[in-house]
Every structure is written in C-alpha cells, then in structure tokens.
Amino acid sequence: MNMTEAERDQFLADVRVGVLAIDHPGHGPLALPIWYQWEDGQVVIGMDGTSLKARLLRAAGRATMTVQTEAAPYKYVSVEGPVSVAAESRDNLAMATRYLGPELGQWYADNNPSTENTVLVRLTPEKWRTCDFGKGM
C-alpha cells in the first residue's frame, strides 16, 4: 500500500494542508498546520522568522511534515529530514493563490504582505512514510 515515488511527488504537488512537527524541548512536539509547496524535491514553507515555529526549527535543525487526505480511501505522506531556515523574501501571492484561488489569494496577499522578518524553510527529505489505502481495495 506504499506509494511509488511518482505517486508521492504528485500527492505532495497537489493542494493540501500539511502538519509540521518540530521538537519543542520540555513539551510535546509542536505540530501546526501549514501551507507548503513541493519544489525540486524539497518542502518549501514561508513564515515569520521571529515565530515560535522558526525559532524551534533553527534550534532543532530537523522537522517532519505529514500530509493526508480527508476522505476514504485515505492516503498520507510523511517526510522527515533536516531543515534550512534562510532570511529570504518571497512574494506570498503564489502561495496564497495556490490555497485560496485567484480572487481570495490576491486579497490575502494584499492584506498580509511579506515583512522583513520573512524566512523560507526548506525541508530536505531523508525518511519517507507513505500509504495509499485505496491500493488494498
């Protein structure tokens, strides 16, 4: 029931919300929903560089992201690996349009402009877990 590499890449390229999990010393892992893009074999996530997510990612140097379907037959991809966090500005219109469509995406980008604190996180896959329960039917 595992996905092939092509199935996994297509699954990640589709519009889905991911859940990013980061080590949070003294607590359970911090796990938060995120928007992401699958680019050139990496998970790319934009965020405020002063956020708790960004601080924990810098400290941990690693993260896990899980993406799943919400309807049966269920599918999921979980990817774990090292992260880089770089001060890099990126137009958030592409990401907003990916998740919200052209009209609402434009509104979101206009009302949530990138700041000088924006960072790009790149998660490089080292370990994969995939499942497509539809393959067992």
Side-chain angles (χ1 to χ4, degrees), residues 93-108:
L93 178 59
M95 186 77 79
T97 301
R98 169 178 161 81
Y99 280 91
L100 301 173
E103 188 174 317
L104 194 51
Q106 184 66 58
W107 175 88
Y108 182 91

Side-chain angles (χ1 to χ4, degrees), residues 9-72:
D9 287 348
Q10 182 58 54
F11 187 84
L12 289 172
D14 290 342
V15 178
R16 304 183 195 286
V17 173
V19 175
L20 186 67
I22 315 158
D23 184 42
H24 190 183
H27 304 274
L30 180 69
L32 299 168
I34 50 106
W35 290 353
Y36 73 93
Q37 288 179 293
W38 178 241
E39 294 179 359
D40 302 322
Q42 292 183 318
V43 175
V44 179
I45 308 160
M47 67 182 65
D48 181 335
T50 63
S51 67
L52 177 60
K53 283 185 294 195
R55 292 193 315 267
L56 291 174
L57 284 165
R58 283 187 195 96
R62 302 185 65 75
T64 299
M65 184 186 74
T66 301
V67 181
Q68 66 186 28
T69 58
E70 298 295 325

